[in-house]
Amino acid sequence: MDSIVINGGGALHGEIPIAGAKNACLTLMPATLLSDEPLTLTNAPRLSDIRTMTTLLQSLGAEVTSLQHGQVLAMSSHDINNLTADYDIVRKMRASILVLGPMLARHGHAVVSLPGGCAIGARPVDLHLKGLEALGAELELKDGYVHAQAPGGLKGAVVAFPFVSVGATENVLMAATLAKGTTVLKNAAREPEIVDLAQCLRQMGAQIEGEGTNTITVQGVDSLHGATHPVVVDRIELGTYMLAPAIAGGEVECLGGRLDLVAAFVEKLDEAGISVEETPRGLRVARRNGRVRAVDVTTEPFPGFPTDLQAQMMALLCTAEGTSVLEETIFENRFMHAPELMRMGARIDVQGGTASVSGVERLKGAPVMATDLRASVSLILAGLAAEGETVVSRVYHLDRGYEKVEEKLGACGARIERIKDR
Ligand code: EPZ
């Protein structure tokens, strides 16, 4: 298992290109299952999660060709010959459940392993299943797999989600495009990745209105045709790299960054004393003067402060002047970065879903361990500001969602290198 070594303390200067969104790509790829014509994605990120989704789609008989060093994914599911998504692939990546809705909608049958939990929580998929049942699917759980049938095809319905779920909204939205009649998704997720998916489905001939609001209406059509679609920029990678100059000092321009994708996050950066300005090529970020100020953060569904930036924001607030309170409302166990940050001298008191962070002047480098994707990158950020050497182990978590993090930060002057496992 590779490690990443950071020698902290130096300010950063330069520019960081932001890639296409992992969480958009992971729902756009299964959309190929809705049509027998080719779907091509451009601006795709080069990440291990994308390679896992590629393996899953290929196991179903879809063709997925990675072009231009992985930035273009040319897909076709004309010859699907297997409607079972195996546990040994699904357990590696929960987003695999997103093949269920499309397979069911187009083929009337699907067998998909339940994803199981992950480090940040139990992460059930009951809303996905209830939503598809509302469209007429008959589901049976057996041996850890969902056996789904829709012999006469899916039928449009009103699907009212009891609480916001990104994945359930995506699964039901994709299924609804081929259901007979009208589907209304109520309390739908509003994330930019949902908007991106809806735009891609519309290019494929779907009839969708209201994406980005909490009510999405879909008129089912008989079939969808092919399309070419650019993956939206990754707002979580963007927010992560915006925090690099905030925590280490200096000034960095995040190329491709869009303010509308990170408005709630930028509001908090501004409160903390970080300046963000729009440039013709993206967002330029610098620490205004002196120490960062403490701010309180509560994670919420979009357009609120994203849970996927909570760990990274905590790293910044570990060095702020004053005490910050972070409330994690989306996942039940998303503070595993806290004990690792405390090994670096951070002062954090975790009580259930709330963490109080009393800022310290400087963190101290230490050997720490990555536990999940966003926790691992928060340790990298902390290492940039810490005195001395930080070694982050188990960085396979990191590679799921961040392309060449050491190269992107190294190009801005960070003293960071990857140590390949012997
Ligand atoms: C997506 O996960 C993202 N993953 C997550 O990003 C992100 O943290 C999350 O949305 C929230 O924004 C992808 O898009 C691949 P949810 P998802 O359904 O769809 C509970 C990252 O770091 N829930 O919105 O799984 C669930 O347990 C990852 O890139 C149910 O109870 O999130 C959670 O507590 C981490 N039943 C809450 O709802 C369900 O059927 C929100 O989950 C579905 C979800």
Side-chain angles (χ1 to χ4, degrees):
M1 283 183 264
D2 294 1
S3 304
I4 285 188
V5 180
I6 307 118
N7 275 285
L12 303 181
H13 294 276
E15 48 193 48
I16 295 181
I18 304 301
K22 166 179 85 79
N23 290 348
C25 202
L26 289 176
T27 190
L28 290 164
M29 291 174 76
T32 186
L33 298 167
L34 289 165
S35 167
D36 59 7
E37 293 184 21
L39 173 61
T40 299
L41 299 177
T42 59
N43 194 38
R46 290 163 289 195
L47 303 166
S48 59
D49 268 9
I50 304 307
R51 291 190 286 276
T52 304
M53 182 59 83
T54 296
T55 304
L56 173 61
L57 292 175
Q58 290 171 337
S59 76
L60 303 175
E63 281 166 43
V64 182
T65 310
S66 171
L67 306 167
Q68 290 182 29
H69 311 294
Q71 282 213 300
V72 171
L73 296 171
M75 303 179 289
S76 162
S77 62
H78 184 272
D79 303 326
I80 289 292
N81 51 28
N82 167 30
L83 293 175
T84 298
D86 251 13
Y87 176 62
D88 65 349
I89 301 179
V90 174
R91 68 182 169 77
K92 286 196 201 98
M93 189 187 58
R94 310 175 23 71
S96 307
I97 192 74
L98 294 173
V99 301
L100 177 59
M103 276 205 287
L104 195 53
R106 177 143 161 263
H107 298 281
H109 174 67
V111 179
V112 178
S113 165
L114 282 168
C118 78
I120 63 177
R123 300 186 71 184
V125 290
D126 52 323
L127 269 64
H128 298 239
L129 306 183
K130 285 195 189 100
L132 294 172
E133 279 177 326
L135 299 185
E138 292 152 22
L139 305 181
E140 190 196 347
L141 301 191
K142 213 165 59 182
D143 314 325
Y145 283 77
V146 181
H147 294 253
Q149 308 273 356
L154 295 173
K155 292 175 191 58
V158 175
V159 181
F161 292 111
F163 52 84
V164 170
S165 161
V166 171
T169 301
E170 290 163 346
N171 233 333
V172 177
L173 172 59
M174 288 190 280
T177 59
L178 295 178
K180 291 180 186 60
T182 305
T183 297
V184 180
L185 280 69
K186 294 192 167 190
N187 205 12
R190 300 171 55 189
E191 272 68 6
E193 292 75 36
I194 307 267
V195 172
D196 201 37
L197 172 63
Q199 287 170 349
C200 177
L201 293 169
R202 193 176 292 118
Q203 277 177 274
M204 295 169 74
Q207 292 181 20
I208 299 170
E209 279 172 16
E211 71 275 9
T213 74
N214 56 18
T215 304
I216 302 176
T217 304
V218 185
Q219 301 296 344
V221 293
D222 292 339
S223 66
L224 295 182
H225 49 72
T228 296
H229 178 79
V231 178
V232 68
V233 67
D234 192 324
R235 62 194 170 97
I236 305 303
E237 188 194 26
L238 170 61
T240 302
Y241 286 122
M242 290 172 74
L243 283 166
I247 200 166
E251 182 176 277
V252 169
E253 187 174 15
C254 295
L255 307 183
R258 278 174 36 193
L259 206 49
D260 63 310
L261 297 175
V262 285
F265 171 69
V266 168
E267 240 174 72
K268 286 297 171 185
L269 286 188
D270 181 52
E271 229 181 283
I274 305 297
S275 85
V276 177
E277 63 166 305
E278 288 187 281
T279 70
R281 300 199 301 167
L283 297 176
R284 181 178 293 126
V285 185
R287 193 161 66 191
R288 269 197 284 271
N289 41 29
R291 268 178 83 183
V292 162
R293 290 191 297 273
V295 295
D296 294 341
V297 171
T298 300
T299 64
E300 292 171 315
F302 196 88
F305 189 101
T307 173
D308 292 349
L309 285 173
Q310 177 261 107
Q312 299 91 313
M313 191 69 179
M314 185 186 283
L316 174 70
L317 296 174
C318 287
T319 63
E321 191 159 5
T323 298
S324 309
V325 176
L326 290 100
E327 215 188 334
E328 172 56 61
T329 70
I330 307 291
F331 290 106
E332 65 268 29
N333 184 33
R334 203 170 198 179
F335 285 137
M336 282 172 304
H337 40 289
E340 298 304 308
L341 290 167
M342 288 154 80
R343 288 176 48 74
M344 300 175 72
R347 289 169 42 208
I348 307 168
D349 176 29
V350 175
Q351 300 291 337
T354 302
S356 300
V357 180
S358 308
V360 296
E361 280 278 346
R362 288 214 69 181
L363 295 170
K364 300 249 178 321
V368 289
M369 188 166 73
T371 50
D372 62 86
L373 168 56
R374 308 302 176 183
S376 50
V377 82
S378 81
L379 299 173
I380 300 269
L381 291 172
L384 293 175
E387 202 176 310
E389 182 178 88
T390 299
V391 182
V392 183
S393 61
R394 299 192 178 184
V395 291
Y396 58 84
H397 289 293
L398 198 67
D399 296 336
R400 295 190 52 178
Y402 292 91
E403 195 180 296
K404 299 193 178 65
V405 64
E406 67 275 13
E407 284 180 23
K408 293 193 173 184
L409 289 171
C412 292
R415 289 176 293 161
I416 178 171
E417 59 173 334
R418 178 181 290 256
I419 309 292
K420 285 269 175 222
D421 191 17
R422 302 253 180 276

